[in-house]
Amino acid sequence: MPPESTSHAGDRLDDDDHPAHATGRVAEMIGAAPGFLRTIGAARLVTPPRSEGGRRRYSRYRLRIAARARELVDGGTPIDAACRIVIPEGRREEAPRLDEELRRPAVGRGGTGS
């Protein structure tokens, strides 16, 4: 393998934003079920890119966000509140819209909002 390729691969491994982890592995790492990751994804807390095969791929940055949300939920914080608490710094301006979306009853849940 040429030195450039090796260097480039090493750079990706050090990159917090490189989508290197599959859903099952992330769930295992944070002690959650894959459904937890789908839930925080639906809340737009963590929106992982998808591989060519359509599978979600998580970066170390997204993994840390998911782990923090899991920590809050384990401590008794409702998942919707945990998602509002953990909104990444770069998305703070989206917080009011996300909050409104989380408060609306979800379609398919009987319109109860819970």
Side-chain angles (χ1 to χ4, degrees):
M1 186 182 293
E4 293 174 336
S5 297
T6 303
S7 175
H8 181 65
D11 290 345
R12 285 191 317 218
L13 294 175
D14 291 335
D15 182 359
D16 261 4
D17 294 320
H18 179 69
H21 305 286
T23 301
R25 179 68 181 126
V26 170
E28 181 182 302
M29 291 168 77
I30 67 170
F36 176 81
L37 295 171
R38 286 190 295 274
T39 299
I40 64 174
R44 296 190 186 132
L45 176 63
V46 175
T47 308
R50 294 187 179 255
S51 68
E52 288 183 18
R55 304 210 179 240
R56 291 175 182 92
R57 303 295 291 182
Y58 293 80
S59 65
R60 290 188 303 188
Y61 173 70
R62 288 182 176 96
L63 190 149
R64 285 193 304 272
I65 292 169
R68 177 65 177 133
R70 173 62 193 229
E71 183 180 288
L72 289 168
V73 168
D74 286 350
T77 303
I79 196 161
D80 59 333
C83 288
R84 287 193 305 270
I85 291 167
V86 183
I87 293 173
E89 281 295 317
R91 295 182 61 196
R92 293 261 183 234
E93 66 279 356
E94 292 183 56
R97 182 187 55 79
L98 291 172
D99 187 52
E100 178 60 31
E101 287 180 15
L102 289 170
R103 290 177 191 271
R104 276 188 241 140
V107 175
R109 290 194 293 189
T112 63
S114 56

